[in-house]
Amino acid sequence: MNASLVIFYLIGAFAVIVGSVLTYVTSRRLGWKIPLWLLYALMGLSAYIFFAQYLKYQNLHFFTDFSHWLQILRNITIKGWPEILSHEFIIPGTLNYFSVHFIPLIYLFAIPFKLIPRPETLMVFNALAMLSAAIPLYKLALLHYVPPLKIRGGEEGLWKDGRKMSGFFVVVLLLWYPTFQYITLYEFEMLRFSIPLLLWMLYFFETRRMVPYLIFVILAILVREEVGLTVAMFGVYAWVFAKRRKEGLSALTLGLVGFVLITSVVMPAFSSAEQFKHVAAGSFAQFGTSPLEIVSSVIRHPIAALTVILDPTKLANIFMLGLPVLFVPLLAPLVLIGAAANIGIGLLSEGTIHTSYMLYYIAPSVPFIFYALLKAWPRFVSLSLWERVGLPAQAGVRGEGAFMNALLAAVLVSNIFFGPSPISLQFWLKNIQPAPFRTQDFHWSVYRVTDHHRAANKFVEMIPEDAIVSAQEFLQPRLFKKRGAMPFPQIVSKDGQYQADYVFVDRTNNGLRSESPAHMSKEEIDAVVANEVWERVAEEDGYELYRNVYESTNGVANTTNLD
């Protein structure tokens, strides 16, 4: 692990803990309370996410993933199914994206995209869908509100509307929770929408409304195939620990059956490969090639499994899920069973990305962290807990208000040190980053749009819509209306069936670091475009556009002189 990064995290974690303790002590002594206008302001400021996404797109700091989703939506609106030729170039047999991930709810986004087929449409509805998670969380907070003990001295009126305050308070914690902001800011994918859908599921579970509960159980399963396992684990909690047999068994059954059917029947049916292999299978290769093999291998070889699980980077990321909320959810540990499948998958993965608190893979765990926070809150603020550990506490409104201030301070200080927002250190200081980012960047400079960025559109307009283009990853989102895009320097598909008609490069690399996989050196670019097959069409400000003088037909590549 990077020593300077470890030091940074130790300093940041220390600042979060000390800041929250000082806030609690000061608030308790002075009777400070969170003004309602501050909560409104923080909720409103969270809308920066849309503007950040828009400026990143204009600044060419969106990459291949965003391009893929735009192509999928465009093909749904034109052809009715999620064709993604650009993915077929990389992994043959995945022309239908449902063979990569089963995400039928993408059709909901295709409706507004049909009306306004622009990247901004996807950004707007991404922000709206994610921020809508505030609604079920607010309702859950109202259900779990426990009025503080009344105390003498006229302080009963300190919170005129405690229920409303508690609801807005928890919503602000979510909207400024670093993981939530990272997930929402990332270009686009579907797993993130498990957050609002699972929160609605939890709300209807709490209100004992079986029909809408089952509807959201099913919708959560349809977000992406692995969410079925998260739903199933919540079913275990509901059945065994919450003693809600009907709701628990239905979630457990639907989750497991949904996961098995989708991964073993539905997704293979959409694949054109000779043998279906899940795109994530390689991450668990040492344990097996199927879920059953993986579970069996973990049981038979626990030491090998622990070696993978106890990776320091993975454990540090799990720690970072709890730090912004001061690990309060651990006071309701059984509720966190719902997150066990999602976190367990990440811990068993050979890489560390599936447990990263900065990436969308961890999204299904977020609702249960906040559900556990609500369940644990009465215990956290109770006198008995603090008396048992020998610390002073204060009953009543002032005591609970001090705890609320401390928790809000923890979330905001966490965002300053580890988050992506405009209040974060990495937003203002180029050399401070909470991860060894190679491509992603949240410094203010990536939101500044220049003439160089605008000039890219001139070259895109020169390329016919039926063309296949090889381009650097940061240029691909601008090419979503083309037939397909290959990641430069690839110019022929993996199966040899397709070749690029055009090459579009930016020799400036849009300021990317040399260690970024999207960065191309002068030598790498020249090695491709120096071939006689490429004729330069235009160049300006570092951009170069080349046309293939040999045309391909009917999806069969003419690879003459490409070597």
Side-chain angles (χ1 to χ4, degrees), residues 87-102:
H87 211 282
E88 176 78 6
F89 297 153
I90 305 169
I91 306 177
T94 60
L95 184 62
N96 189 316
Y97 193 77
F98 283 174
S99 65
V100 181
H101 289 298
F102 188 64

PDB file of all heavy atoms in Angstrom, residues 87-102:
ATOM      1  N   HIS A  87     -19.337  -3.209 -27.594  1.00  0.00           N
ATOM      2  CA  HIS A  87     -18.980  -4.259 -26.648  1.00  0.00           C
ATOM      3  C   HIS A  87     -18.631  -5.547 -27.391  1.00  0.00           C
ATOM      4  O   HIS A  87     -17.750  -6.307 -26.963  1.00  0.00           O
ATOM      5  CB  HIS A  87     -20.126  -4.502 -25.666  1.00  0.00           C
ATOM      6  CG  HIS A  87     -19.679  -4.955 -24.311  1.00  0.00           C
ATOM      7  ND1 HIS A  87     -19.284  -6.243 -24.046  1.00  0.00           N
ATOM      8  CD2 HIS A  87     -19.525  -4.272 -23.146  1.00  0.00           C
ATOM      9  CE1 HIS A  87     -18.930  -6.344 -22.778  1.00  0.00           C
ATOM     10  NE2 HIS A  87     -19.063  -5.171 -22.203  1.00  0.00           N
ATOM     11  N   GLU A  88     -19.301  -5.787 -28.489  1.00  0.00           N
ATOM     12  CA  GLU A  88     -19.016  -6.961 -29.325  1.00  0.00           C
ATOM     13  C   GLU A  88     -17.586  -6.924 -29.843  1.00  0.00           C
ATOM     14  O   GLU A  88     -16.940  -7.974 -29.982  1.00  0.00           O
ATOM     15  CB  GLU A  88     -20.005  -7.004 -30.492  1.00  0.00           C
ATOM     16  CG  GLU A  88     -19.772  -8.123 -31.493  1.00  0.00           C
ATOM     17  CD  GLU A  88     -20.274  -9.473 -31.017  1.00  0.00           C
ATOM     18  OE1 GLU A  88     -20.912  -9.529 -29.950  1.00  0.00           O
ATOM     19  OE2 GLU A  88     -20.013 -10.472 -31.703  1.00  0.00           O
ATOM     20  N   PHE A  89     -17.078  -5.729 -30.110  1.00  0.00           N
ATOM     21  CA  PHE A  89     -15.693  -5.606 -30.584  1.00  0.00           C
ATOM     22  C   PHE A  89     -14.707  -6.144 -29.539  1.00  0.00           C
ATOM     23  O   PHE A  89     -13.677  -6.713 -29.874  1.00  0.00           O
ATOM     24  CB  PHE A  89     -15.342  -4.133 -30.844  1.00  0.00           C
ATOM     25  CG  PHE A  89     -16.157  -3.493 -31.935  1.00  0.00           C
ATOM     26  CD1 PHE A  89     -16.384  -2.122 -31.921  1.00  0.00           C
ATOM     27  CD2 PHE A  89     -16.698  -4.230 -32.963  1.00  0.00           C
ATOM     28  CE1 PHE A  89     -17.121  -1.504 -32.916  1.00  0.00           C
ATOM     29  CE2 PHE A  89     -17.444  -3.628 -33.969  1.00  0.00           C
ATOM     30  CZ  PHE A  89     -17.655  -2.263 -33.943  1.00  0.00           C
ATOM     31  N   ILE A  90     -15.036  -5.939 -28.271  1.00  0.00           N
ATOM     32  CA  ILE A  90     -14.126  -6.289 -27.174  1.00  0.00           C
ATOM     33  C   ILE A  90     -14.336  -7.728 -26.723  1.00  0.00           C
ATOM     34  O   ILE A  90     -13.383  -8.483 -26.525  1.00  0.00           O
ATOM     35  CB  ILE A  90     -14.327  -5.329 -25.992  1.00  0.00           C
ATOM     36  CG1 ILE A  90     -14.169  -3.873 -26.434  1.00  0.00           C
ATOM     37  CG2 ILE A  90     -13.348  -5.637 -24.857  1.00  0.00           C
ATOM     38  CD1 ILE A  90     -14.595  -2.869 -25.402  1.00  0.00           C
ATOM     39  N   ILE A  91     -15.618  -8.110 -26.548  1.00  0.00           N
ATOM     40  CA  ILE A  91     -15.970  -9.463 -26.102  1.00  0.00           C
ATOM     41  C   ILE A  91     -16.977 -10.042 -27.090  1.00  0.00           C
ATOM     42  O   ILE A  91     -18.172  -9.740 -27.006  1.00  0.00           O
ATOM     43  CB  ILE A  91     -16.563  -9.456 -24.677  1.00  0.00           C
ATOM     44  CG1 ILE A  91     -15.619  -8.735 -23.701  1.00  0.00           C
ATOM     45  CG2 ILE A  91     -16.842 -10.885 -24.204  1.00  0.00           C
ATOM     46  CD1 ILE A  91     -16.172  -8.629 -22.301  1.00  0.00           C
ATOM     47  N   PRO A  92     -16.541 -10.834 -28.046  1.00  0.00           N
ATOM     48  CA  PRO A  92     -17.459 -11.422 -29.027  1.00  0.00           C
ATOM     49  C   PRO A  92     -18.573 -12.216 -28.343  1.00  0.00           C
ATOM     50  O   PRO A  92     -18.346 -12.907 -27.347  1.00  0.00           O
ATOM     51  CB  PRO A  92     -16.546 -12.344 -29.852  1.00  0.00           C
ATOM     52  CG  PRO A  92     -15.189 -11.735 -29.723  1.00  0.00           C
ATOM     53  CD  PRO A  92     -15.132 -11.188 -28.316  1.00  0.00           C
ATOM     54  N   GLY A  93     -19.780 -12.081 -28.868  1.00  0.00           N
ATOM     55  CA  GLY A  93     -20.933 -12.771 -28.304  1.00  0.00           C
ATOM     56  C   GLY A  93     -21.782 -11.905 -27.410  1.00  0.00           C
ATOM     57  O   GLY A  93     -22.800 -12.352 -26.874  1.00  0.00           O
ATOM     58  N   THR A  94     -21.389 -10.629 -27.248  1.00  0.00           N
ATOM     59  CA  THR A  94     -22.113  -9.733 -26.335  1.00  0.00           C
ATOM     60  C   THR A  94     -22.808  -8.596 -27.077  1.00  0.00           C
ATOM     61  O   THR A  94     -22.958  -7.507 -26.544  1.00  0.00           O
ATOM     62  CB  THR A  94     -21.146  -9.144 -25.284  1.00  0.00           C
ATOM     63  OG1 THR A  94     -20.104  -8.402 -25.953  1.00  0.00           O
ATOM     64  CG2 THR A  94     -20.520 -10.247 -24.452  1.00  0.00           C
ATOM     65  N   LEU A  95     -23.223  -8.868 -28.312  1.00  0.00           N
ATOM     66  CA  LEU A  95     -23.904  -7.828 -29.094  1.00  0.00           C
ATOM     67  C   LEU A  95     -25.161  -7.342 -28.379  1.00  0.00           C
ATOM     68  O   LEU A  95     -25.473  -6.154 -28.388  1.00  0.00           O
ATOM     69  CB  LEU A  95     -24.252  -8.358 -30.486  1.00  0.00           C
ATOM     70  CG  LEU A  95     -24.892  -7.362 -31.449  1.00  0.00           C
ATOM     71  CD1 LEU A  95     -23.946  -6.199 -31.745  1.00  0.00           C
ATOM     72  CD2 LEU A  95     -25.299  -8.056 -32.748  1.00  0.00           C
ATOM     73  N   ASN A  96     -25.879  -8.275 -27.755  1.00  0.00           N
ATOM     74  CA  ASN A  96     -27.029  -7.900 -26.925  1.00  0.00           C
ATOM     75  C   ASN A  96     -26.518  -7.701 -25.504  1.00  0.00           C
ATOM     76  O   ASN A  96     -26.017  -8.646 -24.877  1.00  0.00           O
ATOM     77  CB  ASN A  96     -28.098  -8.990 -26.963  1.00  0.00           C
ATOM     78  CG  ASN A  96     -29.398  -8.552 -26.309  1.00  0.00           C
ATOM     79  OD1 ASN A  96     -29.409  -7.940 -25.242  1.00  0.00           O
ATOM     80  ND2 ASN A  96     -30.522  -8.875 -26.941  1.00  0.00           N
ATOM     81  N   TYR A  97     -26.662  -6.502 -24.978  1.00  0.00           N
ATOM     82  CA  TYR A  97     -26.067  -6.194 -23.672  1.00  0.00           C
ATOM     83  C   TYR A  97     -26.667  -7.023 -22.544  1.00  0.00           C
ATOM     84  O   TYR A  97     -26.036  -7.184 -21.491  1.00  0.00           O
ATOM     85  CB  TYR A  97     -26.201  -4.706 -23.355  1.00  0.00           C
ATOM     86  CG  TYR A  97     -25.352  -4.290 -22.184  1.00  0.00           C
ATOM     87  CD1 TYR A  97     -23.981  -4.108 -22.332  1.00  0.00           C
ATOM     88  CD2 TYR A  97     -25.898  -4.114 -20.912  1.00  0.00           C
ATOM     89  CE1 TYR A  97     -23.173  -3.744 -21.257  1.00  0.00           C
ATOM     90  CE2 TYR A  97     -25.111  -3.746 -19.836  1.00  0.00           C
ATOM     91  CZ  TYR A  97     -23.754  -3.569 -20.005  1.00  0.00           C
ATOM     92  OH  TYR A  97     -22.966  -3.229 -18.935  1.00  0.00           O
ATOM     93  N   PHE A  98     -27.857  -7.585 -22.749  1.00  0.00           N
ATOM     94  CA  PHE A  98     -28.447  -8.427 -21.713  1.00  0.00           C
ATOM     95  C   PHE A  98     -27.610  -9.682 -21.462  1.00  0.00           C
ATOM     96  O   PHE A  98     -27.812 -10.363 -20.458  1.00  0.00           O
ATOM     97  CB  PHE A  98     -29.869  -8.824 -22.088  1.00  0.00           C
ATOM     98  CG  PHE A  98     -30.886  -7.732 -21.886  1.00  0.00           C
ATOM     99  CD1 PHE A  98     -32.200  -7.890 -22.306  1.00  0.00           C
ATOM    100  CD2 PHE A  98     -30.533  -6.541 -21.273  1.00  0.00           C
ATOM    101  CE1 PHE A  98     -33.140  -6.893 -22.128  1.00  0.00           C
ATOM    102  CE2 PHE A  98     -31.460  -5.533 -21.075  1.00  0.00           C
ATOM    103  CZ  PHE A  98     -32.771  -5.708 -21.509  1.00  0.00           C
ATOM    104  N   SER A  99     -26.683  -9.992 -22.347  1.00  0.00           N
ATOM    105  CA  SER A  99     -25.773 -11.112 -22.114  1.00  0.00           C
ATOM    106  C   SER A  99     -24.590 -10.689 -21.236  1.00  0.00           C
ATOM    107  O   SER A  99     -23.848 -11.533 -20.741  1.00  0.00           O
ATOM    108  CB  SER A  99     -25.249 -11.666 -23.443  1.00  0.00           C
ATOM    109  OG  SER A  99     -24.439 -10.707 -24.109  1.00  0.00           O
ATOM    110  N   VAL A 100     -24.411  -9.388 -21.060  1.00  0.00           N
ATOM    111  CA  VAL A 100     -23.346  -8.859 -20.201  1.00  0.00           C
ATOM    112  C   VAL A 100     -23.894  -8.631 -18.795  1.00  0.00           C
ATOM    113  O   VAL A 100     -23.360  -9.133 -17.806  1.00  0.00           O
ATOM    114  CB  VAL A 100     -22.775  -7.544 -20.767  1.00  0.00           C
ATOM    115  CG1 VAL A 100     -21.657  -7.015 -19.871  1.00  0.00           C
ATOM    116  CG2 VAL A 100     -22.284  -7.738 -22.186  1.00  0.00           C
ATOM    117  N   HIS A 101     -24.958  -7.865 -18.713  1.00  0.00           N
ATOM    118  CA  HIS A 101     -25.694  -7.655 -17.471  1.00  0.00           C
ATOM    119  C   HIS A 101     -27.171  -7.583 -17.811  1.00  0.00           C
ATOM    120  O   HIS A 101     -27.565  -6.943 -18.807  1.00  0.00           O
ATOM    121  CB  HIS A 101     -25.268  -6.358 -16.773  1.00  0.00           C
ATOM    122  CG  HIS A 101     -23.893  -6.408 -16.182  1.00  0.00           C
ATOM    123  ND1 HIS A 101     -23.553  -7.293 -15.182  1.00  0.00           N
ATOM    124  CD2 HIS A 101     -22.768  -5.694 -16.453  1.00  0.00           C
ATOM    125  CE1 HIS A 101     -22.282  -7.120 -14.863  1.00  0.00           C
ATOM    126  NE2 HIS A 101     -21.779  -6.162 -15.614  1.00  0.00           N
ATOM    127  N   PHE A 102     -27.989  -8.209 -16.996  1.00  0.00           N
ATOM    128  CA  PHE A 102     -29.425  -8.179 -17.247  1.00  0.00           C
ATOM    129  C   PHE A 102     -30.011  -6.958 -16.562  1.00  0.00           C
ATOM    130  O   PHE A 102     -30.180  -6.922 -15.345  1.00  0.00           O
ATOM    131  CB  PHE A 102     -30.096  -9.457 -16.738  1.00  0.00           C
ATOM    132  CG  PHE A 102     -31.539  -9.565 -17.149  1.00  0.00           C
ATOM    133  CD1 PHE A 102     -31.887  -9.659 -18.488  1.00  0.00           C
ATOM    134  CD2 PHE A 102     -32.544  -9.557 -16.197  1.00  0.00           C
ATOM    135  CE1 PHE A 102     -33.216  -9.758 -18.872  1.00  0.00           C
ATOM    136  CE2 PHE A 102     -33.875  -9.649 -16.565  1.00  0.00           C
ATOM    137  CZ  PHE A 102     -34.218  -9.750 -17.911  1.00  0.00           C
TER     138      PHE A 102
END
